[in-house]
Amino acid sequence: MLRYFSEKKYNHLVKDYVTAKTIYNFIEEIGVGAYGVAYLLEDMNTHKKYVLKRLKTKHRHKKKIRQKFDQEISILNEIELPNVPKLVSKGEISGIPFYIMDYIEGKTFEQSIFQDGQIFSLKQSMQITKELLQILIEFHKKGIVHRDLRIPNILLKDNTLHIIDFGLAAYMKPELQLDKINNPKRAENHISDLYYIGHFLLFLLYSTYTPTKKKERSWQEELLLPQEVIEYIERLLIIRPAFSSAADALQSLPLREHIENTNIY
């Protein structure tokens, strides 16, 4: 009978399951992705919030997608870092796998930039990049690459960076060679995460940018950045020779003294 359930109808099954068989109150649906649906829950005793993420019903018979969903659960369970939601439990509802994890109550950088209009100075942007690379190094030490470090998946809570959504995460393949990578976003090694960080950093830097000319120019021309910073971002984006690791990228960050002395804010 499950094959006749639409996503909307299955939402009711999830709500009924949470209400009848868990310690949580069902609050609302909070997100829909290509492969999954997420709901906000609240512990009836502690009032702490959690997220239940389940596979979309249309993917229930797709072996590779189910395996990827199981891998997402395994990766979350293995990371065990304070900057990542903690896995609480897992199970199935009418044949559809799900898991429950901590809810991180913070603002994504997408919300901060495009909803709140927050701007980030060059100095702030480089500091955030430094903190992000430090987290990334811990991921890579565990053999895990996130592969989706975009502004909706990085957030601030109590001035601390948190990373969410491990739906595209993978186990690293250290033997993967740069010249064999066709799409850096999907590379199963450090190249993917550093490539995304390059774009993430550009979003931060563009938060201070006001167009002065109608004709669109390259970011190197539009953003008045020190040459060292331009070259650094070009290495993240593989325009110049790529960094050998996240640790290499962290060590190569433009010197703080140079950033502090620049008048670009």
Side-chain angles (χ1 to χ4, degrees):
M1 291 298 294
L2 183 59
R3 65 182 180 273
Y4 298 114
F5 287 151
S6 66
E7 299 298 341
K8 186 175 181 180
K9 288 182 178 179
Y10 195 80
N11 289 343
H12 293 293
L13 278 182
V14 173
K15 185 175 181 179
D16 291 343
Y17 174 89
V18 169
T19 302
K21 297 185 178 182
T22 75
I23 60 171
Y24 306 105
N25 286 318
F26 182 96
I27 299 178
E28 62 182 343
E29 179 186 303
I30 57 173
V32 179
Y35 302 107
V37 182
Y39 310 89
L40 185 62
L41 313 179
E42 183 181 63
D43 188 299
M44 289 186 285
N45 299 313
T46 66
H47 302 294
K48 182 179 178 181
K49 291 184 174 62
Y50 295 87
V51 172
L52 184 152
K53 183 175 180 180
R54 56 94 171 173
L55 190 69
K56 279 187 170 179
T57 59
K58 68 178 182 179
H59 298 310
R60 64 192 177 276
H61 297 310
K62 298 176 182 177
K63 185 177 179 181
K64 287 186 177 180
I65 294 180
R66 287 189 70 118
Q67 288 175 339
K68 192 74 179 83
F69 192 81
D70 289 339
Q71 179 176 279
E72 180 180 347
I73 295 173
S74 297
I75 285 175
L76 270 177
N77 193 42
E78 291 174 26
I79 288 181
E80 293 185 335
L81 292 172
N83 312 86
V84 174
K86 182 181 178 181
L87 180 71
V88 176
S89 63
K90 62 180 181 177
E92 287 192 1
I93 303 172
S94 296
I96 299 293
F98 75 90
Y99 66 88
I100 296 174
M101 61 183 167
D102 287 339
Y103 174 65
I104 308 298
E105 295 191 69
K107 281 197 174 182
T108 69
F109 281 89
E110 182 177 53
Q111 293 169 324
S112 295
I113 294 171
F114 292 107
Q115 293 181 15
D116 300 344
Q118 186 173 351
I119 62 174
F120 298 91
S121 69
L122 175 58
K123 180 180 175 181
Q124 289 173 322
S125 299
M126 299 309 291
Q127 179 60 34
I128 291 169
T129 301
K130 177 182 178 181
E131 294 172 14
L132 188 54
L133 284 168
Q134 289 170 335
I135 299 171
L136 200 57
I137 288 171
E138 297 304 313
F139 285 4
H140 294 178
K141 282 181 181 178
K142 293 176 180 287
I144 293 166
V145 58
H146 188 277
R147 299 201 306 170
D148 200 16
L149 292 173
R150 297 176 297 116
I151 54 174
N153 295 333
I154 303 170
L155 53 82
L156 272 173
K157 178 186 178 184
D158 301 327
N159 293 318
T160 300
L161 289 178
H162 291 264
I163 297 175
I164 59 174
D165 197 346
F166 284 74
L168 295 178
Y171 292 106
M172 297 180 71
K173 295 181 178 177
E175 73 281 1
L176 197 60
Q177 297 179 2
L178 181 60
D179 59 358
K180 303 296 183 182
I181 296 173
N182 296 320
N183 182 356
K185 292 182 178 181
R186 293 292 170 260
E188 294 176 313
N189 67 1
H190 69 282
I191 291 296
S192 172
D193 285 345
L194 295 184
Y195 187 82
Y196 272 108
I197 286 181
H199 285 281
F200 173 79
L201 178 53
L202 284 176
F203 270 105
L204 298 184
L205 295 171
Y206 263 104
S207 68
T208 65
Y209 176 72
T210 301
T212 57
K213 296 182 179 181
K214 291 183 178 180
K215 185 178 179 181
E216 185 176 335
R217 298 174 293 166
S218 69
W219 63 266
Q220 293 96 326
E221 296 172 306
E222 291 181 336
L223 299 173
L224 301 176
L225 299 171
Q227 186 60 31
E228 292 92 331
V229 176
I230 291 176
E231 293 177 3
Y232 183 80
I233 298 173
E234 288 178 342
R235 290 192 68 184
L236 292 172
L237 299 179
I238 326 180
I239 297 171
R240 292 176 180 267
F243 293 108
S244 61
S245 65
D248 182 22
L250 178 61
Q251 187 175 5
S252 303
L253 267 172
L255 294 176
R256 178 176 295 183
E257 290 80 3
H258 177 85
I259 298 299
E260 289 178 343
N261 291 334
T262 186
N263 60 359
I264 301 170
Y265 289 99

